Amino acid sequence: MRSNLATPIALLLFIALICWGTFDLRKSGAGRKDTVTLAGSTSVMPFSEKLAEYFMLSHPRLSVEVQGGGSSAGIQATINRTVDIGMSSRNLKDDEKVHKQILICYDGISIIVHPSNPVRDISLDQIQKVYSGRIRNWRELGWIDRNIDAVSREEGSGTRGAFEELVMGKAFIDDGIMVQDSNGSVKEVVATDPYAIGYISLGIVDQKVKALTIDGVIPSVRNIIQQKYGMVRPFLYLTATEPAGAVKVFIDFVLSRDGQNILRKEGLVPIRG
Amino acid sequence: MANRFFSREHLIKCLLVVAAFSSLLFLFIIFAFILGEGLPLFYKVGVIKIILGFTWAPTKGFFGIFPMIVSSYMVTLGALIFGAPLALGCATYLSEYASRRMKLFLKPALELLAGIPSVVYGFLGVVYIVPLIREYLGGPGFSILATSAVLGIMILPTIISISFDSLMSVPPTYREASIAMGATKWQTICNVVLPAARSGILASFILGMGRAVGETMAVIMVAGNALRIPMSLLDPLRTLTSNIALELAYAAGDHRSALFSTGVVLLIIIMILNFVANFWVKRKVTG
C-alpha cells in the first residue's frame, strides 16, 4: 500500500525538478546586459564573427556572441526578441516585419566548378537551364560528353533564396539536383568532383574551386560596385527595437570605416566605397 | 532497527521506480512533441498529399514526401544486401567455428565497430567510396550504392551481436544429435543450427533495418540529397531522416511542421519494424 502512494509522488517530484531546472536556466540567460547576441544566416555568420573578434579587441568590456540558424530563423528570432540582432542574407518577405533593417554590405553569389574544368564562362540563361534540369550534359556547355553534377542548397537557405530570386525567376530548381546544407559543403563537393557545378557566397571562394565569369563578367568586388555583376544580395542586420546601448555600439562599429574595411578584406562589398 | 532498514530499502526501490518511469516519460514527451507539431499539417494539407505527394517544396506549399519514403526503403534494403550476408557469416563463424581465443579477440573488435561515430563512417564514405564510384561507375558518386555500402557496414555490429546470441542459444544437444546421425559440420549448421535460430536471425535483420532507416549524419554526407526518386543505383537520393536534419535549421512556419510530419512518418516506420522484430523474438520463446 505504501509503495503505491510513494511512486506517483516521486514521479511528480521528478517532473517538478525538471520544470524548475528549465525555468531557472531561462531566467539566468536573460540577465546579462553587456552581451550582444546575433543569430541567423550562415552566410553572414562567419563575417559577423570576424567583426565581433575585432570589436571585442577595441571594446574589452563588451562581448558579442554569434550563432547560425539560417536567415529565416534569424528573422523569426528577431521578431520573438530572443536575440539582439538577427542576420539575414535575403530581403524580407511581406509577412516578416521587424523594426529596423540595417544594410551592412553586399555579397556576390558566384558559380563555381572544379579547377580542372576548362569551361570559363556561363550565361545567366544557361545557369537557369542547368538548375531547372533542361541542360544536363557538359557537352551543351562546350565540354566533354558527361552528366553535370549540379549542387544546390536546401529549402529555406538564404543563399538558395537569393539564387532563386536572381537566377531562377519563376522556374523551380529541378528535383534531380543534389543538395548540400552549407556554403562549405557545396564548395567541398565541387572541389572534389571534376564534373560538379555549384553556387556559393563570393566571400568564401578560394583556390580549391574556380569561379566562372557570367556573361563575360568576372565576379569581383569591383564589378559589383560598378554594378556590372548582377548576382548580388544584401547582408542585413535586423533589430526588434531601436538599437541602444551595446547593440548600438556594435552596429555603429560595423558601419564605421574600420568595420567596412574588415568586410572588404573578407571579399564582401562595403556599402560605401 | 528493522524499521529503518525497511525504509532504506523502500527508498532505493522508489528511486529505481523513478528511474524506470523517467525513460517512459521521455518516450511520452517525444511522442507528444512530434505528434503535436507534425499532426496539424496532416489535417491542413491532407494525409494523401503528404505521404503520396511527389513534390517537396515546402516554402511554396508542396509537402510530398513519397520520394523520401521510397528512398529510405531503398537504402535500407541496399544496406541489408551489403551487410546481412557478411554479418551472418561472421556470426556463424563466431558461434560455430571460432576458438575461445578468437572469440576474445573478435567480440571486442566488433563492439569497437559499433562505437565508431556515424559522422566518421560518413566521412570515410565521402573521401573513399564516393570518388571510387564516380571514377569507375559514373554518376556523381553520391548515390544509393555509396549510401548502401556505408549503411551496410554500420549495421554489421547490430546484426552480428543479435544473431550470434540466437545461434548460441541453440542447445548443444541439437548439434550433437546431428553429428551423431553422420552429418558433417557444415550440414549441421545449414540444416539444424541456422533453422533453429531462424527467428532470432530474422529479428536481427529487422533491427539492423531499424538502424539503417534511422541513420542520418552518414547518409546526408554520402547520399547527395536530391529530391527525385532514384532510377538507377548511381542516382543521388534523400531519405526521411536526412530531410529533417538538412532543413530544420532554416525552417519556419509550415515548413517546420512539414519536417515534424516527416518525423511522424519515420516514427511509424520504426515502430512497425520494432513491432515485427519483437513479434519474431517472442515466437522463438514460445515455439
Side-chain angles (χ1 to χ4, degrees):
Chain A
M1 196 60 211
R2 270 180 76 183
S3 74
N4 280 354
L5 244 175
T7 314
I9 291 173
L11 206 67
L12 265 174
L13 272 174
F14 183 72
I15 296 169
L17 207 74
I18 293 176
C19 294
W20 178 68
T22 47
F23 179 71
D24 196 51
L25 265 177
R26 238 180 242 170
K27 229 166 95 181
S28 64
R32 286 146 59 187
K33 282 255 165 71
D34 51 352
T35 303
V36 182
T37 53
L38 286 85
S41 165
T42 49
S43 304
V44 187
M45 188 174 78
F47 306 110
S48 291
E49 277 170 348
K50 204 72 164 183
L51 286 165
E53 227 171 83
Y54 282 97
F55 178 75
M56 285 189 279
L57 281 181
S58 53
H59 301 77
R61 299 179 68 182
L62 300 176
S63 103
V64 179
E65 278 174 16
V66 185
Q67 290 161 17
S71 293
S72 304
I75 296 163
Q76 215 54 47
T78 313
I79 295 170
N80 300 339
R81 304 195 180 191
T82 45
V83 291
D84 298 320
I85 302 174
M87 303 180 285
S88 171
S89 52
R90 60 168 170 80
N91 286 310
L92 271 60
K93 294 171 194 157
D94 292 336
D95 58 341
E96 296 169 332
K97 287 197 175 65
V98 299
H99 176 74
K100 199 164 187 191
Q101 303 185 22
I102 300 142
L103 177 67
I104 61 161
C105 63
Y106 292 102
D107 176 38
I109 293 178
S110 42
I111 304 293
I112 53 166
V113 295
H114 193 264
S116 72
N117 192 323
V119 175
R120 288 175 181 283
D121 183 70
I122 191 167
S123 74
L124 214 55
D125 184 53
Q126 282 173 326
I127 304 170
Q128 204 239 39
K129 279 184 175 151
V130 167
Y131 277 92
S132 58
R134 278 181 292 164
I135 293 182
R136 291 170 192 275
N137 200 303
W138 277 110
R139 202 180 39 204
E140 293 171 78
L141 298 176
W143 194 28
I144 53 171
D145 181 14
R146 171 69 164 74
N147 276 347
I148 300 174
D149 303 337
V151 190
S152 178
R153 290 288 305 282
E154 76 286 9
E155 281 269 345
S157 131
T159 313
R160 178 180 174 131
F163 181 81
E164 282 178 336
E165 198 182 307
L166 296 165
V167 179
M168 299 308 289
K170 279 184 183 150
F172 279 13
I173 290 181
D174 187 63
D175 279 352
I177 304 286
M178 287 195 287
V179 173
Q180 293 292 322
D181 61 354
S182 71
N183 271 308
S185 336
V186 173
K187 191 171 85 177
E188 212 44 53
V189 170
V190 174
T192 50
D193 181 353
Y195 312 103
I197 188 168
Y199 57 86
I200 60 172
S201 167
L202 177 62
I204 67 160
V205 174
D206 61 17
Q207 303 301 315
K208 287 160 78 180
V209 292
K210 186 173 85 174
L212 295 179
T213 60
I214 294 172
D215 294 311
V217 182
I218 299 166
S220 69
V221 174
R222 223 175 110 193
N223 282 336
I224 292 173
I225 293 173
Q226 293 176 353
Q227 301 196 328
K228 284 183 189 159
Y229 188 78
M231 283 172 57
V232 178
R233 56 175 172 160
F235 276 4
L236 303 171
Y237 275 0
L238 315 165
T239 57
T241 53
E242 196 59 35
V247 176
K248 185 170 172 10
V249 177
F250 180 67
I251 290 176
D252 286 346
F253 168 77
V254 171
L255 298 176
S256 72
R257 189 170 293 271
D258 287 347
Q260 293 289 309
N261 272 335
I262 294 167
L263 292 173
R264 188 207 308 271
K265 264 187 223 144
E266 294 293 320
L268 296 175
V269 185
I271 44 174
R272 45 187 157 199
Chain B
M1 198 61 192
N3 198 26
R4 249 185 82 193
F5 180 72
F6 170 74
S7 75
R8 195 184 131 191
E9 283 290 304
H10 188 70
L11 186 74
I12 288 171
K13 188 190 160 196
C14 270
L15 282 175
L16 291 176
V17 166
V18 168
F21 273 84
S22 66
S23 57
L24 212 65
L25 182 77
F26 290 136
L27 187 69
F28 177 75
I29 290 174
I30 291 170
F31 254 81
F33 190 62
I34 294 180
L35 290 179
E37 297 263 0
L39 282 184
L41 196 79
F42 280 109
Y43 283 117
K44 196 170 158 189
V45 182
V47 177
I48 304 235
K49 270 196 180 159
I50 291 179
I51 291 180
L52 295 179
F54 273 83
T55 317
W56 171 264
T59 51
K60 298 178 190 71
F62 296 98
F63 302 102
I65 59 171
F66 183 68
M68 298 169 211
I69 297 176
V70 174
S71 300
S72 276
Y73 272 109
M74 279 173 155
V75 287
T76 306
L77 203 69
L80 218 52
I81 291 170
F82 265 96
L86 210 59
L88 193 56
C90 181
T92 311
Y93 173 76
L94 270 178
S95 82
E96 305 303 316
Y97 291 94
S99 63
R100 263 185 78 86
R101 276 173 66 192
M102 202 59 183
K103 264 183 218 171
L104 278 178
F105 166 72
L106 271 177
K107 278 290 257 184
L110 286 168
E111 275 149 26
L112 201 63
L113 194 66
I116 295 174
S118 61
V119 67
V120 174
Y121 284 101
F123 186 58
L124 291 176
V126 168
V127 174
Y128 294 109
I129 298 177
V130 168
L132 223 65
I133 292 174
R134 181 166 58 226
E135 203 73 14
Y136 294 102
L137 300 172
F142 298 91
S143 56
I144 304 185
L145 197 63
T147 315
S148 303
V150 169
L151 285 177
I153 299 168
M154 292 182 76
I155 62 174
L156 285 179
T158 311
I159 301 184
I160 291 173
S161 69
I162 296 170
S163 47
F164 172 72
D165 287 345
S166 68
L167 285 171
M168 288 301 273
S169 69
V170 174
T173 47
Y174 282 32
R175 298 182 181 87
E176 285 156 14
S178 170
I179 303 254
M181 297 287 287
T184 63
K185 184 147 194 174
W186 177 238
Q187 284 170 333
T188 305
I189 292 169
C190 268
N191 300 318
V192 178
V193 181
L194 285 178
R198 192 183 54 210
S199 56
I201 291 169
L202 280 175
S204 80
F205 286 177
I206 304 274
L207 289 174
M209 281 173 78
R211 173 106 165 84
V213 169
E215 180 48 45
T216 310
M217 195 60 219
V219 175
I220 289 186
M221 293 170 83
V222 297
N225 309 314
L227 284 165
R228 184 179 298 152
I229 297 178
M231 290 302 162
S232 90
L233 281 177
L234 303 174
D235 279 350
L237 76 166
R238 185 186 300 191
T239 63
L240 291 165
T241 47
S242 46
N243 188 45
I244 299 176
L246 266 179
E247 298 193 353
L248 190 60
Y250 290 111
D254 276 355
H255 187 184
R256 207 174 113 91
S257 313
L259 295 182
F260 277 104
S261 307
T262 315
V264 172
V265 174
L266 194 63
L267 203 66
I268 292 169
I269 291 174
I270 300 263
M271 268 166 56
I272 292 172
L273 283 180
N274 275 344
F275 180 77
V276 172
N278 275 334
F279 176 74
W280 255 312
V281 170
K282 279 217 185 77
R283 214 174 51 169
K284 185 185 76 173
V285 174
T286 51

